[in-house]
Amino acid sequence: MDISLYYQSYGNGFPLVLLHGNGGDSNYFAQQVPYFSRFRRVIALDTRGHGKSPRGTAPFSIRQFAEDLLHFLDEQNLPQVDLLGFSDGGNIALTFAAKYPHRIRRLVLNGANFHPSGIKTHIQLPIVLGYRTTALLAPKSSRVQQNAELLRLMVYEPLLRPVDLQRITVPTLVIAGTRDMVKTAHTVQLYRNLPDAQLRLLPGDHFIASKTAEAFNQVVGEFLTQ
């Protein structure tokens, strides 16, 4: 691996790894870390090219991020973890779980989508237009290039199929907001294609973990301790 991921670790117990969303960093989980670190070792990562983790030279893709996660777990001598991914972090978690299910004990997918078509049209169209614009201007600016890479992830990834989801046999919680940017029908489809899954829709938008943290933490905590 060409980089080392930045991470923050809190508490003790069976490890719970947190994966943030597109353009964010590990600080997104500021209201989850104190709650779960009371009884778990909580590890919050910065994805490649996000937060304090360097971009490196490897492909900037969901698949690469999943391989980065594998390398991190090996580096930290963590043979198995619980994994909570938000948004693109959920998509990374899905991709990782489809390939390395034996490395996960329990999986939490918050606002995840397994295909770009799962994003609501009024959200996705501006993202597509933004990507086209930044892709044209990217050669002139490293900052624009960075924005183009982030937008590209949402335009073209992930590309998982129902058959890929059906290989994920670990107990999984699919949790989303009732007004999420991911289509509710897509969230239900994700849930139905996972062999051992539960579905919870909480009042709120895409950011229920930060905006309605108490309810979110309670639901996730109950799932992790079942």
Side-chain angles (χ1 to χ4, degrees):
M1 182 171 164
D2 61 329
I3 63 167
S4 291
L5 297 178
Y6 173 81
Y7 70 98
Q8 301 177 57
S9 180
Y10 309 86
N12 297 287
F14 191 82
L16 170 64
V17 175
L18 308 180
L19 302 175
H20 62 80
N22 186 294
D25 60 32
S26 52
N27 293 316
Y28 176 76
F29 296 106
Q31 297 189 73
Q32 279 65 59
V33 168
Y35 183 88
F36 291 107
S37 62
R38 294 177 302 164
F39 50 91
R40 304 291 294 275
R41 180 187 176 193
V42 177
I43 303 169
L45 292 178
D46 282 356
T47 303
R48 172 187 295 267
H50 292 69
K52 296 181 180 179
S53 289
R55 162 65 177 82
T57 57
F60 202 74
S61 67
I62 297 294
R63 286 186 179 182
Q64 180 60 52
F65 300 160
E67 295 303 317
D68 292 345
L69 175 59
L70 176 67
H71 181 85
F72 174 82
L73 297 182
D74 288 344
E75 191 176 60
Q76 297 292 318
N77 193 28
L78 297 171
Q80 195 175 49
V81 299
D82 287 345
L83 192 56
L84 188 165
F86 161 65
S87 199
D88 258 3
N91 303 343
I92 296 166
L94 267 175
T95 303
F96 182 87
K99 192 171 182 180
Y100 306 110
H102 61 287
R103 302 300 296 266
I104 303 174
R105 189 179 70 171
R106 284 182 175 266
L107 179 64
V108 179
L109 304 171
N110 172 211
N113 60 293
F114 62 89
H115 192 275
S117 62
I119 304 299
K120 292 177 179 177
T121 303
H122 75 278
I123 299 290
Q124 187 72 342
L125 278 179
I127 293 172
V128 172
L129 292 174
Y131 169 66
R132 290 175 179 173
T133 301
T134 54
L136 288 173
L137 300 174
K140 299 180 180 181
S141 165
S142 59
R143 181 173 291 277
V144 175
Q145 170 67 28
Q146 181 183 24
N147 289 337
E149 285 194 313
L150 291 172
L151 290 170
R152 185 191 178 283
L153 290 175
M154 293 187 282
V155 173
Y156 294 113
E157 299 191 51
L159 294 174
L160 295 172
R161 304 161 298 170
V163 67
D164 299 317
L165 304 178
Q166 290 157 15
R167 290 200 296 266
I168 302 173
T169 57
V170 300
T172 303
L173 172 65
V174 177
I175 183 168
T178 53
R179 304 187 307 278
D180 208 290
M181 61 185 279
V182 180
K183 299 171 185 175
T184 300
H186 184 86
T187 299
V188 172
Q189 187 181 7
L190 169 62
Y191 152 71
R192 287 178 174 168
N193 277 284
L194 294 166
D196 186 4
Q198 302 175 30
L199 174 65
R200 290 295 301 270
L201 298 176
L202 299 183
D205 58 20
H206 193 53
F207 304 98
I208 52 174
S210 60
K211 293 183 178 179
T212 57
E214 184 175 353
F216 179 88
N217 292 346
Q218 182 177 349
V219 170
V220 173
E222 289 173 353
F223 169 75
L224 292 177
T225 56
Q226 283 176 355

